[in-house]
Amino acid sequence: MRKIAILGIGQTKVDEHWDKSLREVGGEAAFLAMRDAGMENVDALYVGNMLSPTISGQNQLGAFLGDWIGLWKQESVKVEAACGSGAAAFRSALMAVASGDVESALVVGVEKMTDKAGRDVTAALAAAADADYEAEQGVSFVGINALVMRRYMHEFGWRHEDFAPFSINAHDNAMHNPYARLHEKITAEKFERSAMVAAPINLMDASPVGDGAAAVVIVPAERVRRKPRIVVAASAAATDTIAVHSRKDPLFLQAAYLSSKQAYEMAGITPKDVDIFELHDAFSIMAALSLEASGFAERGQGARLGLDGEITPKGRLPVCTRGGLKARGHPVGATGMYQIVEVTQQLRGECGETQVDGAKTGMTQNIGGSGASILTHLLQKED
Ligand code: COA
């Protein structure tokens, strides 16, 4: 397999883009990535998206977006893995270019969520849970995560306020990201006093819905003269049971453990070598579970990293350096691509106030459903 480099990146602000259609939001990120790569054409297009059939009444996003951006002949497909769709599309593109089947690929993660009322969006999201045994019972994703969080607090003795650092760090970092949805610093007091969504998850534990797109152009690394060169050191994916209640241990993200382990082996590194971790903080409990399963904290101790100040841009393991899902926003099928774009920005040294000094290796982890589909990528900077 060939080594792959990220040549161009592009993203839109995560927002309520009521004045733009799905094709315009996706097209904007795609054109920005192509311009950044200095390319006018690519050999294939991969689109990550989750909700377009239900929210926008539009399927077949490969042809839909390819048509809009002028790719009329080459392979164009959509890849879907719920909230993990973005990274799943990225991985498909990697496989195609690494195998030598195509020479270049454009990957676009795009989602429009705010054109429908909140209850419709909640129902659309719930379609990624187990239809027979979860959604049928009326539980939403917030509800499922609330059950997991309550169990975690019970098992390991954490209080709700112990999760505040995840949210405070995300909001602080988003202040310096022009593409973030929420630009508002929060305090521990605000974290505790926010409106309840599904106990114990309140508004400050949850990621906001939003519209947005992020894109990259990838090519074989040997073609890239630009310095620093950002290469993909590892790509791994794993799957768990779709329903949380079917898991032997609902507090362990097995697919995060398996995919991160495989990624470390592929890159020949250990968790200690990771300089930045863009994790999937759809809810604060997921940040803690992801840190534990990926080897950064002992079982039940994920929250400790936040309390000890280790997750800020100056800490031992900076996470959510551009605001994470919590404050950059979580346009579900686009999120995995935002993570890839953000780590690329960090490795290029383009992150200003939240730049992580000397960052050489960045990790992304994108989660579909309540931990059912998990993709882990490692990017590295080559000077
Ligand atoms: N954190 C902080 N502020 C938030 C927020 C969040 N998560 N979500 C919304 N807000 C703010 C908005 O900016 C808005 O502020 P404004 O009045 O100053 O403009 C206000 O709260 C109301 O926004 P609105 O969009 O009407 O919120 P809502 O009550 O309809 O939805 C949630 C809030 C948390 C219920 C919704 O965002 C949600 O369902 N999130 C989870 C999505 C999800 O499950 N994703 C999949 C994960 S697997």
Side-chain angles (χ1 to χ4, degrees), residues 84-144:
S85 299
F90 182 66
R91 186 170 152 79
S92 298
L94 283 177
M95 294 304 145
V97 185
S99 72
D101 197 43
V102 295
E103 280 303 307
S104 61
L106 170 65
V107 194
V108 184
V110 60
E111 203 74 72
K112 281 223 82 189
M113 303 174 80
T114 72
D115 292 342
K116 284 260 161 69
R119 64 174 180 280
D120 298 329
V121 177
T122 300
L125 288 167
D130 188 312
D132 291 335
Y133 298 110
E134 290 181 320
E136 168 72 15
Q137 308 305 318
V139 285
S140 63
F141 268 112
V142 189
I144 295 170

Short mmCIF file of all heavy atoms in Angstrom, two decimals, residues 84-144:
data_model
loop_
_atom_site.label_atom_id
_atom_site.label_comp_id
_atom_site.label_asym_id
_atom_site.label_seq_id
_atom_site.Cartn_x
_atom_site.Cartn_y
_atom_site.Cartn_z
N GLY A 84 -20.19 8.51 12.46
CA GLY A 84 -18.84 8.15 12.01
C GLY A 84 -18.70 8.21 10.50
O GLY A 84 -17.67 7.78 9.95
N SER A 85 -19.68 8.76 9.82
CA SER A 85 -19.67 8.76 8.34
C SER A 85 -18.47 9.50 7.76
O SER A 85 -17.91 9.07 6.75
CB SER A 85 -20.96 9.40 7.81
OG SER A 85 -22.09 8.67 8.22
N GLY A 86 -18.09 10.61 8.38
CA GLY A 86 -16.98 11.41 7.84
C GLY A 86 -15.69 10.60 7.78
O GLY A 86 -15.04 10.51 6.72
N ALA A 87 -15.32 10.00 8.90
CA ALA A 87 -14.08 9.21 8.93
C ALA A 87 -14.21 7.95 8.08
O ALA A 87 -13.22 7.47 7.52
CB ALA A 87 -13.71 8.85 10.37
N ALA A 88 -15.42 7.41 7.97
CA ALA A 88 -15.61 6.21 7.13
C ALA A 88 -15.37 6.56 5.67
O ALA A 88 -14.78 5.78 4.91
CB ALA A 88 -17.02 5.64 7.34
N ALA A 89 -15.81 7.75 5.25
CA ALA A 89 -15.57 8.19 3.86
C ALA A 89 -14.07 8.41 3.65
O ALA A 89 -13.50 8.03 2.62
CB ALA A 89 -16.34 9.48 3.58
N PHE A 90 -13.41 9.01 4.66
CA PHE A 90 -11.97 9.25 4.58
C PHE A 90 -11.22 7.93 4.42
O PHE A 90 -10.33 7.80 3.58
CB PHE A 90 -11.52 9.99 5.84
CG PHE A 90 -10.06 10.35 5.87
CD1 PHE A 90 -9.54 11.28 4.98
CD2 PHE A 90 -9.20 9.78 6.81
CE1 PHE A 90 -8.18 11.64 5.01
CE2 PHE A 90 -7.85 10.12 6.85
CZ PHE A 90 -7.34 11.05 5.96
N ARG A 91 -11.63 6.94 5.21
CA ARG A 91 -10.95 5.63 5.15
C ARG A 91 -11.16 4.96 3.79
O ARG A 91 -10.24 4.36 3.23
CB ARG A 91 -11.46 4.74 6.28
CG ARG A 91 -10.73 3.43 6.40
CD ARG A 91 -11.11 2.70 7.67
NE ARG A 91 -10.98 1.27 7.49
CZ ARG A 91 -9.82 0.62 7.53
NH1 ARG A 91 -8.70 1.26 7.76
NH2 ARG A 91 -9.77 -0.69 7.34
N SER A 92 -12.35 5.08 3.22
CA SER A 92 -12.61 4.50 1.90
C SER A 92 -11.71 5.16 0.85
O SER A 92 -11.15 4.49 -0.02
CB SER A 92 -14.08 4.71 1.50
OG SER A 92 -14.90 4.04 2.41
N ALA A 93 -11.58 6.48 0.95
CA ALA A 93 -10.74 7.20 -0.01
C ALA A 93 -9.27 6.78 0.14
O ALA A 93 -8.57 6.56 -0.84
CB ALA A 93 -10.87 8.70 0.22
N LEU A 94 -8.85 6.63 1.41
CA LEU A 94 -7.46 6.21 1.67
C LEU A 94 -7.17 4.87 0.99
O LEU A 94 -6.13 4.69 0.36
CB LEU A 94 -7.24 6.02 3.17
CG LEU A 94 -7.05 7.22 4.06
CD1 LEU A 94 -6.92 6.74 5.51
CD2 LEU A 94 -5.82 8.01 3.66
N MET A 95 -8.11 3.93 1.17
CA MET A 95 -7.91 2.59 0.61
C MET A 95 -7.78 2.66 -0.92
O MET A 95 -6.95 1.97 -1.51
CB MET A 95 -9.09 1.67 0.98
CG MET A 95 -9.19 1.37 2.45
SD MET A 95 -7.67 0.65 3.08
CE MET A 95 -7.60 1.35 4.68
N ALA A 96 -8.61 3.50 -1.52
CA ALA A 96 -8.59 3.59 -2.99
C ALA A 96 -7.27 4.18 -3.49
O ALA A 96 -6.67 3.68 -4.45
CB ALA A 96 -9.77 4.44 -3.46
N VAL A 97 -6.79 5.24 -2.82
CA VAL A 97 -5.54 5.87 -3.29
C VAL A 97 -4.33 5.02 -2.88
O VAL A 97 -3.39 4.85 -3.66
CB VAL A 97 -5.41 7.32 -2.76
CG1 VAL A 97 -4.18 7.99 -3.37
CG2 VAL A 97 -6.65 8.15 -3.11
N ALA A 98 -4.37 4.47 -1.66
CA ALA A 98 -3.23 3.67 -1.20
C ALA A 98 -3.04 2.43 -2.06
O ALA A 98 -1.91 2.00 -2.31
CB ALA A 98 -3.43 3.28 0.27
N SER A 99 -4.12 1.86 -2.54
CA SER A 99 -4.02 0.64 -3.35
C SER A 99 -3.50 0.92 -4.76
O SER A 99 -3.14 0.00 -5.48
CB SER A 99 -5.39 -0.03 -3.45
OG SER A 99 -6.22 0.75 -4.29
N GLY A 100 -3.53 2.19 -5.15
CA GLY A 100 -3.10 2.53 -6.51
C GLY A 100 -4.24 2.54 -7.50
O GLY A 100 -4.06 2.77 -8.68
N ASP A 101 -5.44 2.29 -7.02
CA ASP A 101 -6.61 2.25 -7.92
C ASP A 101 -6.92 3.63 -8.48
O ASP A 101 -7.33 3.77 -9.62
CB ASP A 101 -7.81 1.69 -7.16
CG ASP A 101 -8.90 1.23 -8.09
OD1 ASP A 101 -8.57 0.58 -9.11
OD2 ASP A 101 -10.07 1.56 -7.84
N VAL A 102 -6.78 4.66 -7.63
CA VAL A 102 -6.93 6.05 -8.12
C VAL A 102 -5.74 6.86 -7.62
O VAL A 102 -5.09 6.51 -6.63
CB VAL A 102 -8.26 6.71 -7.64
CG1 VAL A 102 -9.46 6.01 -8.23
CG2 VAL A 102 -8.35 6.77 -6.13
N GLU A 103 -5.47 7.96 -8.29
CA GLU A 103 -4.29 8.78 -7.97
C GLU A 103 -4.59 9.91 -6.99
O GLU A 103 -3.69 10.44 -6.35
CB GLU A 103 -3.69 9.37 -9.25
CG GLU A 103 -2.83 8.38 -10.03
CD GLU A 103 -1.69 7.82 -9.17
OE1 GLU A 103 -0.94 8.60 -8.58
OE2 GLU A 103 -1.59 6.58 -9.06
N SER A 104 -5.85 10.32 -6.93
CA SER A 104 -6.20 11.42 -6.02
C SER A 104 -7.66 11.28 -5.66
O SER A 104 -8.46 10.76 -6.43
CB SER A 104 -5.96 12.78 -6.69
OG SER A 104 -6.77 12.88 -7.85
N ALA A 105 -8.02 11.74 -4.47
CA ALA A 105 -9.43 11.69 -4.06
C ALA A 105 -9.78 12.91 -3.24
O ALA A 105 -8.95 13.44 -2.49
CB ALA A 105 -9.71 10.42 -3.26
N LEU A 106 -11.03 13.34 -3.41
CA LEU A 106 -11.59 14.42 -2.60
C LEU A 106 -12.56 13.76 -1.63
O LEU A 106 -13.38 12.93 -2.02
CB LEU A 106 -12.34 15.38 -3.52
CG LEU A 106 -13.21 16.47 -2.88
CD1 LEU A 106 -12.37 17.46 -2.08
CD2 LEU A 106 -14.00 17.22 -3.95
N VAL A 107 -12.43 14.08 -0.34
CA VAL A 107 -13.36 13.54 0.66
C VAL A 107 -14.11 14.71 1.29
O VAL A 107 -13.47 15.66 1.77
CB VAL A 107 -12.62 12.79 1.80
CG1 VAL A 107 -13.63 11.97 2.61
CG2 VAL A 107 -11.51 11.92 1.26
N VAL A 108 -15.42 14.63 1.26
CA VAL A 108 -16.23 15.71 1.83
C VAL A 108 -17.18 15.12 2.88
O VAL A 108 -17.92 14.18 2.59
CB VAL A 108 -17.09 16.41 0.74
CG1 VAL A 108 -17.86 17.59 1.36
CG2 VAL A 108 -16.24 16.88 -0.42
N GLY A 109 -17.13 15.66 4.09
CA GLY A 109 -18.14 15.31 5.09
C GLY A 109 -19.12 16.46 5.12
O GLY A 109 -18.70 17.62 5.27
N VAL A 110 -20.39 16.19 4.94
CA VAL A 110 -21.37 17.28 4.88
C VAL A 110 -22.66 16.88 5.59
O VAL A 110 -23.11 15.74 5.50
CB VAL A 110 -21.66 17.70 3.40
CG1 VAL A 110 -22.21 16.54 2.59
CG2 VAL A 110 -22.62 18.89 3.34
N GLU A 111 -23.23 17.84 6.30
CA GLU A 111 -24.52 17.57 6.98
C GLU A 111 -25.32 18.86 7.09
O GLU A 111 -24.76 19.92 7.37
CB GLU A 111 -24.26 17.02 8.38
CG GLU A 111 -25.42 16.21 8.93
CD GLU A 111 -25.56 14.83 8.28
OE1 GLU A 111 -24.73 13.94 8.53
OE2 GLU A 111 -26.53 14.65 7.51
N LYS A 112 -26.61 18.75 6.84
CA LYS A 112 -27.55 19.85 7.13
C LYS A 112 -28.55 19.28 8.12
O LYS A 112 -29.26 18.33 7.82
CB LYS A 112 -28.27 20.30 5.86
CG LYS A 112 -27.46 21.20 4.98
CD LYS A 112 -28.26 22.37 4.44
CE LYS A 112 -28.36 23.49 5.43
NZ LYS A 112 -29.29 24.55 5.04
N MET A 113 -28.62 19.88 9.31
CA MET A 113 -29.51 19.34 10.34
C MET A 113 -30.59 20.35 10.74
O MET A 113 -31.61 19.95 11.30
CB MET A 113 -28.71 18.98 11.60
CG MET A 113 -27.59 17.99 11.36
SD MET A 113 -26.58 17.73 12.83
CE MET A 113 -27.59 16.58 13.77
N THR A 114 -30.35 21.63 10.51
CA THR A 114 -31.22 22.63 11.14
C THR A 114 -32.41 23.06 10.28
O THR A 114 -33.12 23.99 10.64
CB THR A 114 -30.42 23.88 11.57
OG1 THR A 114 -30.04 24.62 10.40
CG2 THR A 114 -29.18 23.52 12.37
N ASP A 115 -32.62 22.39 9.14
CA ASP A 115 -33.78 22.74 8.31
C ASP A 115 -35.06 22.09 8.83
O ASP A 115 -36.15 22.35 8.32
CB ASP A 115 -33.55 22.31 6.86
CG ASP A 115 -32.45 23.14 6.21
OD1 ASP A 115 -32.14 24.22 6.75
OD2 ASP A 115 -31.91 22.72 5.17
N LYS A 116 -34.93 21.21 9.82
CA LYS A 116 -36.11 20.55 10.40
C LYS A 116 -36.20 20.89 11.88
O LYS A 116 -35.21 21.29 12.50
CB LYS A 116 -35.99 19.03 10.23
CG LYS A 116 -36.26 18.56 8.80
CD LYS A 116 -37.67 18.02 8.70
CE LYS A 116 -38.22 17.94 7.30
NZ LYS A 116 -37.69 17.02 6.38
N ALA A 117 -37.38 20.70 12.45
CA ALA A 117 -37.58 20.98 13.88
C ALA A 117 -36.79 19.98 14.73
O ALA A 117 -36.51 18.86 14.28
CB ALA A 117 -39.07 20.88 14.21
N GLY A 118 -36.47 20.39 15.96
CA GLY A 118 -35.66 19.57 16.85
C GLY A 118 -36.16 18.15 17.01
O GLY A 118 -35.38 17.20 16.97
N ARG A 119 -37.48 17.97 17.15
CA ARG A 119 -37.99 16.61 17.38
C ARG A 119 -37.77 15.71 16.16
O ARG A 119 -37.51 14.52 16.28
CB ARG A 119 -39.48 16.64 17.78
CG ARG A 119 -40.39 17.17 16.71
CD ARG A 119 -41.88 17.07 17.07
NE ARG A 119 -42.67 17.59 15.98
CZ ARG A 119 -42.88 18.89 15.76
NH1 ARG A 119 -42.38 19.79 16.57
NH2 ARG A 119 -43.60 19.29 14.72
N ASP A 120 -37.84 16.30 14.95
CA ASP A 120 -37.60 15.53 13.73
C ASP A 120 -36.13 15.12 13.63
O ASP A 120 -35.80 14.02 13.18
CB ASP A 120 -37.99 16.34 12.48
CG ASP A 120 -39.46 16.69 12.48
OD1 ASP A 120 -40.26 15.89 13.02
OD2 ASP A 120 -39.82 17.77 11.96
N VAL A 121 -35.25 16.04 14.05
CA VAL A 121 -33.81 15.74 14.00
C VAL A 121 -33.49 14.63 15.02
O VAL A 121 -32.76 13.69 14.71
CB VAL A 121 -32.97 17.01 14.30
CG1 VAL A 121 -31.49 16.68 14.33
CG2 VAL A 121 -33.26 18.09 13.27
N THR A 122 -34.08 14.73 16.21
CA THR A 122 -33.85 13.70 17.23
C THR A 122 -34.31 12.34 16.72
O THR A 122 -33.62 11.33 16.90
CB THR A 122 -34.61 14.08 18.53
OG1 THR A 122 -34.09 15.34 18.98
CG2 THR A 122 -34.41 13.05 19.62
N ALA A 123 -35.46 12.31 16.04
CA ALA A 123 -35.97 11.04 15.49
C ALA A 123 -35.05 10.53 14.38
O ALA A 123 -34.78 9.32 14.29
CB ALA A 123 -37.39 11.24 14.98
N ALA A 124 -34.57 11.43 13.54
CA ALA A 124 -33.68 11.03 12.44
C ALA A 124 -32.38 10.45 13.00
O ALA A 124 -31.88 9.42 12.52
CB ALA A 124 -33.38 12.22 11.53
N LEU A 125 -31.84 11.09 14.04
CA LEU A 125 -30.61 10.58 14.66
C LEU A 125 -30.84 9.20 15.27
O LEU A 125 -30.00 8.30 15.17
CB LEU A 125 -30.14 11.54 15.76
CG LEU A 125 -29.53 12.87 15.30
CD1 LEU A 125 -29.41 13.85 16.47
CD2 LEU A 125 -28.18 12.67 14.64
N ALA A 126 -32.01 9.02 15.87
CA ALA A 126 -32.31 7.76 16.56
C ALA A 126 -32.38 6.58 15.59
O ALA A 126 -32.30 5.42 16.01
CB ALA A 126 -33.61 7.88 17.34
N ALA A 127 -32.50 6.87 14.30
CA ALA A 127 -32.53 5.78 13.30
C ALA A 127 -31.19 5.04 13.25
O ALA A 127 -31.11 3.95 12.68
CB ALA A 127 -32.88 6.34 11.93
N ALA A 128 -30.14 5.62 13.85
CA ALA A 128 -28.84 4.93 13.88
C ALA A 128 -28.70 4.04 15.11
O ALA A 128 -27.71 3.34 15.26
CB ALA A 128 -27.70 5.94 13.84
N ALA A 129 -29.69 4.09 16.00
CA ALA A 129 -29.70 3.17 17.14
C ALA A 129 -30.38 1.87 16.68
O ALA A 129 -30.73 1.73 15.50
CB ALA A 129 -30.45 3.79 18.31
N ASP A 130 -30.56 0.91 17.57
CA ASP A 130 -31.23 -0.33 17.20
C ASP A 130 -32.73 -0.07 17.10
O ASP A 130 -33.38 0.25 18.11
CB ASP A 130 -30.93 -1.39 18.27
CG ASP A 130 -31.42 -2.77 17.87
OD1 ASP A 130 -32.59 -2.87 17.43
OD2 ASP A 130 -30.66 -3.73 18.01
N ALA A 131 -33.26 -0.18 15.88
CA ALA A 131 -34.67 0.19 15.66
C ALA A 131 -35.63 -0.68 16.48
O ALA A 131 -36.64 -0.19 17.00
CB ALA A 131 -35.01 0.09 14.18
N ASP A 132 -35.30 -1.97 16.63
CA ASP A 132 -36.21 -2.88 17.34
C ASP A 132 -36.14 -2.74 18.85
O ASP A 132 -37.15 -2.79 19.53
CB ASP A 132 -35.89 -4.34 16.99
CG ASP A 132 -36.22 -4.64 15.54
OD1 ASP A 132 -37.09 -3.94 14.99
OD2 ASP A 132 -35.59 -5.54 14.97
N TYR A 133 -34.92 -2.58 19.36
CA TYR A 133 -34.77 -2.68 20.82
C TYR A 133 -34.42 -1.37 21.52
O TYR A 133 -34.43 -1.30 22.72
CB TYR A 133 -33.70 -3.74 21.15
CG TYR A 133 -34.10 -5.11 20.67
CD1 TYR A 133 -33.44 -5.72 19.61
CD2 TYR A 133 -35.18 -5.79 21.25
CE1 TYR A 133 -33.82 -6.96 19.15
CE2 TYR A 133 -35.56 -7.03 20.80
CZ TYR A 133 -34.88 -7.62 19.75
OH TYR A 133 -35.26 -8.84 19.30
N GLU A 134 -34.05 -0.33 20.75
CA GLU A 134 -33.74 0.96 21.40
C GLU A 134 -34.75 2.02 20.94
O GLU A 134 -35.59 2.47 21.72
CB GLU A 134 -32.30 1.41 21.08
CG GLU A 134 -31.23 0.55 21.76
CD GLU A 134 -29.82 1.01 21.47
OE1 GLU A 134 -29.51 1.40 20.31
OE2 GLU A 134 -28.98 0.95 22.38
N ALA A 135 -34.68 2.40 19.64
CA ALA A 135 -35.54 3.48 19.14
C ALA A 135 -37.02 3.16 19.36
O ALA A 135 -37.82 4.03 19.73
CB ALA A 135 -35.26 3.73 17.67
N GLU A 136 -37.39 1.90 19.16
CA GLU A 136 -38.78 1.45 19.35
C GLU A 136 -39.29 1.74 20.77
O GLU A 136 -40.46 2.00 20.99
CB GLU A 136 -38.84 -0.06 19.04
CG GLU A 136 -40.11 -0.78 19.44
CD GLU A 136 -41.30 -0.41 18.56
OE1 GLU A 136 -41.10 0.18 17.49
OE2 GLU A 136 -42.44 -0.72 18.97
N GLN A 137 -38.34 1.74 21.72
CA GLN A 137 -38.72 2.01 23.11
C GLN A 137 -38.79 3.51 23.41
O GLN A 137 -39.08 3.91 24.54
CB GLN A 137 -37.71 1.36 24.08
CG GLN A 137 -37.45 -0.11 23.84
CD GLN A 137 -38.74 -0.93 23.85
OE1 GLN A 137 -39.61 -0.71 24.68
NE2 GLN A 137 -38.85 -1.85 22.90
N GLY A 138 -38.47 4.32 22.41
CA GLY A 138 -38.59 5.77 22.59
C GLY A 138 -37.34 6.46 23.07
O GLY A 138 -37.36 7.65 23.35
N VAL A 139 -36.22 5.72 23.19
CA VAL A 139 -35.01 6.40 23.66
C VAL A 139 -34.30 7.12 22.51
O VAL A 139 -34.24 6.62 21.39
CB VAL A 139 -33.99 5.47 24.35
CG1 VAL A 139 -34.44 5.08 25.73
CG2 VAL A 139 -33.67 4.27 23.50
N SER A 140 -33.79 8.31 22.81
CA SER A 140 -33.00 9.08 21.84
C SER A 140 -31.53 8.83 22.15
O SER A 140 -31.19 8.17 23.15
CB SER A 140 -33.30 10.56 22.01
OG SER A 140 -32.87 10.96 23.31
N PHE A 141 -30.63 9.42 21.33
CA PHE A 141 -29.21 9.27 21.64
C PHE A 141 -28.84 9.97 22.93
O PHE A 141 -27.97 9.50 23.67
CB PHE A 141 -28.33 9.75 20.48
CG PHE A 141 -28.01 8.62 19.55
CD1 PHE A 141 -28.51 8.57 18.27
CD2 PHE A 141 -27.23 7.56 20.00
CE1 PHE A 141 -28.24 7.50 17.44
CE2 PHE A 141 -26.96 6.48 19.18
CZ PHE A 141 -27.47 6.45 17.90
N VAL A 142 -29.49 11.11 23.20
CA VAL A 142 -29.21 11.77 24.49
C VAL A 142 -29.63 10.82 25.61
O VAL A 142 -28.92 10.65 26.61
CB VAL A 142 -29.95 13.12 24.62
CG1 VAL A 142 -29.46 13.86 25.85
CG2 VAL A 142 -29.76 13.97 23.38
N GLY A 143 -30.79 10.18 25.46
CA GLY A 143 -31.30 9.26 26.48
C GLY A 143 -30.35 8.09 26.71
O GLY A 143 -30.06 7.73 27.86
N ILE A 144 -29.85 7.51 25.63
CA ILE A 144 -28.93 6.36 25.77
C ILE A 144 -27.66 6.79 26.50
O ILE A 144 -27.18 6.13 27.42
CB ILE A 144 -28.58 5.76 24.38
CG1 ILE A 144 -29.83 5.16 23.72
CG2 ILE A 144 -27.48 4.71 24.49
CD1 ILE A 144 -29.66 4.77 22.27
#
